[in-house]
Amino acid sequence: MTHWLWSVPPDAYSAFVRTGTFALHRQGRRRLAELEPGDRIFAYLTGTAVLAGEFEVVGAPFQDATALVPDRHLPHRVRVRPVAVLPQEAWVSREGFAGLRVLDEYADLAPSARFRRVTQQVLHPLPAIDGKVLEFVLQARLGADPDALMAAVEAVRQARDRPVPLAEAVDEPETDRQSLVAEPTVGYVASDWDRAAALERLVEAVAAQGFRFEPWEVAAYVTALRTKPFVLLAGVTGAGKSRLPVLVAQATGGVATVLPVRPDWTDPAETMGYTDLAGRFRPGAVLSAARAATPSGTTDRSAKPAAADGAGRFHTLVLDEMNLGRPEHYLAEVLSRIEQRAPAPGGWESPPLLVETMGADDAAWQAVRLPPTLGIVGTVNVDESAHAFSRKVLDRAFVLELAPRDLADWRTASATAETDDWPAGAWAPRAVRLGELSDLSDDDRQRLDRAAAAVAAADAVLAPAGLGVGYRARDEVALFVLHAAETPDVFRTSEGSPVDPLDLALLAKLAPRLDGARAGARAAAYGLLGWAVDGRPADARRASALVDDWIGEGRPTRLSDATFPQTAARLARIAEGALDDGVASFWA
């Protein structure tokens, strides 16, 4: 592992952090080719002359000419994940780390010119001692707990005792890589772990508890939570919305916590936390859940990583009746950070959830992130006591609708089913954006092409009404389909009929956007119904005929002859409301 100092233009830094990508123009290209996954980068902001954060390299350098920063051509790039990102008020001025050993490399220059010679190279390797010193400085600014700081001091001492040539990469033994921000290892997926067989056993285990979920419902829930760790479960009261996440957690060796949402949650105090009158920070429920889900149950990144033996549990936080309050108010930090996740050991994690600077006694909470081992599931209460979801919430979630299948069947299952302890890594997605995918087969590319084409066609219907989708929805639909392809046989009805994962993904990401009495919303519902049936957007007259046909069939949940059977049936229900009451609403 090598430590590097990267000189970053201040106006580009926020884009680098947001996208998880560091980039340069020409200066530094030769050094960039030497970067390897696991190397650490310290971001030095030129002009302001401050140290702003530490990042870990997570991929090989690559070239990409697409715009990353407006008015800047930065084609030479590398993917990173944040390790320690300082708030602006905590940036470290150059005087705070002016004694770096790397400056000795230019001892023939005047003191004022030495640092300039290092930074003008854009990317410069650092001796191990300098890397440990800078890690200590950053963690001290973040307010790390005393044990962590002592670990940093010991790391500095060890690096000082180990002579290393100034410009030579440091190849440290694995036992010496436990720096202050060393990554904790979470569960991984062993090569002999059979995802498809494990999901089949999960379906059987849920059924053995007497709950009548369709196999595709269980498969869709697991696939959605893997694709995006934010899932909304909608349905009538008593349909099992809050029970399904608990059953899945129990059957896979995970942990599920149910947190009832209250109508008086109008800000993040109950979820993220607040500082009481005595000046003590009181962590909220979501922040506490994120910390509990962090491997080893702590935010102390100086802890020695657990052995990669498949241990590690996936945690699910269930926000029961989530829309009794307004999620965009009480969950604002999570909604923002979930889109800033970057590659991390075991999956993807967010930047720290809290941004304010705290005292030493509370600083551990400031380092808490959304870890790869946490999923958030909200159950949706649809009645006059609940709030409608904003576009910000819907854009960031998969919405799955659960419905009772056979109320006449009251008999509980008598058999017990085999269960598995799923490795935490089993919940990690292949990527969070299509641009991050690699090693795609021809079949994978065909699936992605079909999904992207379907989203584009649907967007052409939704966009005129102001309900169009963006790259996020496209990527998540496509990734859902890609993940579902790993367990195709479980996407079936109880009778054994196959269910198209793309149909489910379109229903989850597109139909919930329909909500309103405007003429545009009604036109979008009619158009999307026709498109889901046979690819031809419908007007009000044709939509009325399609709805009549659906009613004549007994209002089924699937229109078997449609291109997208379940999406079409659900849109027929929405269109019925638009025709009868003038309101096109998924949530009515």
Side-chain angles (χ1 to χ4, degrees), residues 271-462:
T271 53
M272 292 295 104
Y274 63 94
T275 301
D276 62 21
L277 295 177
R280 180 76 176 179
F281 180 71
R282 302 296 181 182
V286 175
L287 190 69
S288 296
R291 187 180 187 187
T294 300
S296 78
T298 177
T299 56
D300 179 6
R301 289 172 172 256
S302 66
K304 182 178 180 180
D309 58 359
R313 310 174 76 187
F314 188 79
H315 292 237
T316 305
L317 177 63
V318 182
L319 299 175
D320 198 23
E321 299 196 21
M322 185 178 188
N323 59 330
L324 286 181
R326 293 189 182 276
E328 62 272 23
H329 292 173
Y330 67 78
L331 214 59
E333 288 85 353
V334 173
L335 295 176
S336 176
R337 295 294 188 272
I338 203 169
E339 298 307 321
Q340 300 173 15
R341 289 173 299 147
W348 274 255
E349 71 176 10
S350 77
L353 290 168
L354 300 178
V355 296
E356 65 269 19
T357 302
M358 297 182 178
D361 292 339
D362 303 319
W365 291 105
Q366 193 171 358
V368 176
R369 308 159 184 259
L370 289 176
T373 48
L374 176 66
I376 298 175
V377 178
T379 69
V380 180
N381 180 42
V382 183
D383 60 30
E384 66 281 356
S385 68
H387 296 284
F389 284 110
S390 69
R391 183 75 61 84
K392 179 178 181 178
V393 176
L394 293 178
D395 277 349
R396 287 161 169 76
F398 272 95
V399 180
L400 305 179
E401 192 170 25
L402 304 179
R405 299 298 169 184
D406 188 357
L407 294 178
D409 184 5
W410 58 268
R411 294 174 177 83
T412 59
S414 57
T416 57
E418 182 181 357
T419 60
D420 298 280
D421 285 342
W422 287 24
W427 297 91
R430 288 182 60 173
V432 298
R433 300 172 189 85
L434 292 185
E436 297 171 344
L437 287 169
S438 60
D439 301 326
L440 291 172
S441 67
D442 290 341
D443 287 342
D444 287 338
R445 295 183 186 279
Q446 291 178 6
R447 295 184 185 99
L448 296 178
D449 286 342
R450 178 175 177 244
V455 173
D459 179 63
V461 179
L462 292 169

Side-chain angles (χ1 to χ4, degrees), residues 471-493:
Y471 297 115
R472 180 190 298 129
R474 180 204 64 185
D475 288 5
E476 290 173 2
V477 167
L479 289 168
F480 181 98
V481 171
L482 197 63
H483 292 148
E486 299 175 21
T487 56
D489 294 339
V490 191
F491 282 87
R492 66 176 189 273
T493 65

